[in-house]
């Protein structure tokens, strides 16, 4: 099955074309083309993503990225889909910049594409709608089915690329990103149940806020991680104890990170008159405190049930210290740990293609009428896109 996928949930515009197969109970994925355009530098001055700017940039990037992807996948430009052009353009009333150039796409031979998949949520509504409307237009132009995908499911199943047996069920899934911190149980039929989540800030959001206080720039997680790693190399026996571990001992699997950020703020204010700030030490202290909490929750979940695999995804999973700690848990409980390749930890369209295929093959989602596809900004991680 060949899928063209689109991702525009936040500040990354992604388009991919992926050949997907399930052979001898093993998933196989081959990316014929996978392109991503990041807006991180544009949003850096705001210290976070500015929704209207994100929408504008997605709109500017969509047609050039589609053309690049179609050409890299070696789809010929000798076709004529212009008879459906006006019908397709009706979905792009709010994206005239895409509508005006859609004719350039109509020349590509899309005969080998079996379906279009698109992220419908969760995310920023203005950004999501650019991808959703573009997918509707393409599906109409090429007369292809369209498969709606939950963005978080992309992170969950990205660990299957490029080749893997299905996750052994029941599976414990950890989702850690700028907008989400969730622990889920996934059954054999891929039904999902939320076991714990953040009660305020997501872990990635906490890292970004901490980096802003430390004047490290945006996004903050990679900068804090880099400084923390330098401190660990210099002082391997150092014991972190400067910051609290909110809810670490709470019986639930929920977490809370707003108090940790506040503790950092107070520490910085109290430190102003004392001595020069050691950003490496503070970064390590903050990272250790944040990771201590989430790893403790994952360990508690593994103790509570007989899981057969552990899956982690989302931008924060790129954190090497978190990977190391999860690997320790994997060995302790004798279950495999599935983590995506580094290039798939950020938002991307390839993971949307993978998730759409896995969930479609397992009949958890289906291709639905184009008219019924809509952005679902508040979609939960345990919900399937409709």
């Amino acid at each position: 099955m060949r899928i063209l996928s689109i991702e525009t949930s936040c500040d990354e515009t992604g388009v991919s074309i992926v050949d997907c197969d399930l052979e001898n109970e093993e998933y196989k994925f081959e990316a014929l083309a996978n392109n991503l355009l990041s807006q991180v530098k544009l949003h850096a001055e705001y210290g976070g993503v500015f929704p209207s700017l994100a929408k504008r940039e997605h709109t500017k990037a969509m047609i050039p990225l589609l053309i690049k992807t179609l050409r890299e996948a070696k789809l010929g430009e000798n076709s004529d889909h212009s008879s459906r052009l006006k019908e397709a353009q009706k979905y792009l009333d709010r994206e005239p910049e895409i509508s005006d150039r859609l004719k350039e796409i109509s020349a590509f031979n899309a005969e080998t594409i079996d379906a279009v998949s698109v992220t419908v949520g969760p995310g920023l509504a203005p950004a999501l709608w650019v991808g959703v409307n573009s997918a509707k237009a393409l599906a109409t132009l090429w007369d292809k089915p369209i498969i709606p995908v939950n963005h978080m499911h992309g992170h969950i199943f990205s660990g299957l690329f490029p080749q893997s047996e299905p996750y052994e069920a029941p599976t414990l899934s950890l989702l850690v990103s700028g907008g989400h911190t969730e622990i889920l149980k996934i059954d054999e039929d891929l039904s999902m149940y939320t076991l714990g989540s953040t009660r305020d800030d997501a872990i990635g959001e906490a890292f970004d806020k901490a980096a802003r206080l430390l004047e490290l720039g945006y996004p903050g997680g990679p900068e804090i991680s880099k400084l923390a790693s330098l401190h660990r190399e210099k002082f391997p026996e150092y014991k972190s104890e400067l910051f609290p571990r909110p809810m670490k001992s709470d019986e639930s699997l929920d977490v809370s990170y707003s108090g940790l950020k506040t503790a950092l703020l107070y520490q910085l204010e109290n430190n102003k008159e004392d001595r020069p700030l050691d950003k490496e030490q503070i970064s390590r202290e903050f990272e250790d405190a944040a990771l201590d909490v989430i790893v403790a929750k994952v360990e508690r979940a593994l103790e509570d049930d007989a899981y057969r695999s552990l899956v982690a995804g989302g931008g924060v999973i790129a954190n090497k210290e978190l990977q190391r700690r999860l690997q320790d848990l994997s060995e302790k409980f004798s279950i495999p740990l599935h983590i995506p390749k580094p290039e798939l930890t950020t938002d991307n369209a390839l993971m949307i293609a993978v998730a759409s295929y896995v969930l479609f093959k397992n009949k958890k989602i289906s291709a639905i009428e184009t008219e019924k596809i809509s952005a679902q900004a508040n979609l939960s991680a345990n919900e399937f896109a409709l």
Side-chain angles (χ1 to χ4, degrees):
M1 184 176 186
R2 180 169 292 179
I3 298 173
L4 182 143
S5 57
I6 297 174
E7 156 64 32
T8 63
S9 64
C10 193
D11 60 344
E12 313 277 0
T13 312
V15 180
S16 73
I17 296 178
V18 182
D19 278 345
C20 312
D21 196 12
L22 180 59
E23 185 178 315
N24 298 323
E25 298 186 354
E26 186 174 65
Y27 289 111
K28 296 180 179 180
F29 301 97
E30 180 183 1
L32 304 183
N34 182 41
N35 290 297
L36 190 69
L37 187 62
S38 175
Q39 304 173 17
V40 167
K41 291 182 179 179
L42 292 174
H43 295 282
E45 64 178 288
Y46 302 103
V49 180
F50 200 74
S52 62
L53 176 58
K55 172 183 167 59
R56 186 193 76 187
E57 294 302 310
H58 286 310
T59 301
K60 288 168 56 179
M62 186 56 65
I63 292 294
L65 217 56
L66 277 168
I67 291 174
K68 186 174 188 289
T69 302
L70 291 165
R71 284 178 176 162
E72 287 180 359
K74 297 182 180 179
L75 273 68
E77 298 178 56
N78 55 353
S79 296
D80 184 6
H81 299 280
S82 58
S83 62
R84 292 177 171 270
L85 185 59
K86 286 188 177 180
E87 185 183 357
Q89 287 175 320
K90 72 180 183 181
Y91 295 111
L92 297 168
D93 288 342
R94 296 182 180 181
E95 288 81 31
E97 191 169 349
I98 299 176
S99 180
D100 291 345
R101 297 188 61 186
L102 191 62
K103 188 175 182 179
E104 298 175 49
I105 304 299
S106 68
F108 284 91
N109 181 1
E111 184 178 341
T112 60
I113 293 176
D114 297 300
V116 175
S117 66
V118 62
T119 298
V120 297
L124 302 173
L128 287 166
W129 273 113
V130 176
V132 168
N133 288 334
S134 297
K136 285 183 173 185
L138 289 176
T140 302
L141 183 69
W142 294 333
D143 192 24
K144 303 294 180 181
I146 185 169
I147 303 174
V149 180
N150 184 322
H151 172 80
M152 303 313 295
H153 296 169
H155 285 303
I156 289 173
F157 294 108
S158 59
L160 293 172
F161 181 87
Q163 186 170 328
S164 175
E165 294 179 353
Y167 300 146
E168 294 183 82
T171 300
L172 187 70
S173 175
L174 172 65
L175 293 173
V176 279
S177 68
H180 293 265
T181 303
E182 302 197 46
I183 299 173
L184 299 96
K185 179 180 181 179
I186 305 175
D187 283 343
E188 189 170 0
D189 68 351
L190 298 186
S191 294
M192 301 184 189
Y193 308 91
T194 299
L195 304 178
S197 61
T198 181
R199 296 187 180 179
D200 39 62
D201 293 349
I203 187 170
E205 182 182 5
F207 276 118
D208 287 339
K209 289 179 177 179
R212 198 177 308 143
L213 292 173
L214 292 169
E215 299 179 345
L216 296 178
Y218 173 85
E223 292 303 314
I224 287 180
S225 179
K226 182 168 65 175
L227 293 176
S229 295
L230 290 173
H231 194 271
R232 287 191 189 92
E233 291 175 6
K234 296 175 183 177
F235 307 101
E237 303 301 320
Y238 181 84
K239 300 297 182 182
S240 300
E241 56 184 21
L242 190 60
F243 297 124
R245 272 63 172 166
M247 295 189 68
K248 180 181 177 182
S249 300
D250 187 87
E251 291 184 1
S252 77
L253 296 181
D254 289 345
V255 296
S256 170
Y257 283 110
S258 63
L260 181 57
K261 180 261 298 180
T262 302
L264 171 61
L265 176 63
Y266 289 155
Q267 178 64 30
L268 296 180
E269 289 180 347
N270 294 335
N271 189 74
K272 284 180 180 178
E273 305 299 327
D274 295 342
R275 59 188 182 278
L277 180 66
D278 185 340
K279 290 188 178 182
E280 290 182 6
Q281 177 190 352
I282 292 292
S283 294
R284 180 180 181 176
E285 290 274 6
F286 189 89
E287 183 178 77
D288 279 346
L291 298 186
D292 280 353
V293 174
I294 194 62
V295 172
K297 298 294 183 172
V298 172
E299 183 171 13
R300 183 169 302 153
L302 292 171
E303 290 171 343
D304 289 344
D305 208 338
Y307 291 97
R308 300 184 67 183
S309 59
L310 175 61
V311 176
V316 179
I317 199 56
N319 183 293
K320 296 299 183 183
E321 178 65 12
L322 177 56
Q323 289 188 19
R324 184 191 67 77
R325 295 188 187 202
L326 292 178
Q327 186 59 50
D328 286 346
L329 290 182
S330 167
E331 294 172 4
K332 176 179 178 179
F333 290 92
S334 300
I335 58 174
L337 170 65
H338 301 274
I339 292 178
K341 292 176 175 295
E343 61 270 24
L344 296 185
T345 56
T346 60
D347 296 347
N348 63 88
L350 196 154
M351 72 180 191
I352 301 305
V354 170
S356 67
Y357 180 74
V358 172
L359 295 173
F360 181 79
K361 289 291 289 186
N362 286 275
K363 300 180 180 180
K364 301 304 291 188
I365 57 176
S366 59
I368 63 178
E369 293 178 29
T370 302
E371 293 286 350
K372 295 182 179 180
I373 301 284
S374 65
Q376 302 170 51
N378 296 317
L379 196 63
S380 298
N382 61 354
E383 293 181 300
F384 295 97
L386 300 175

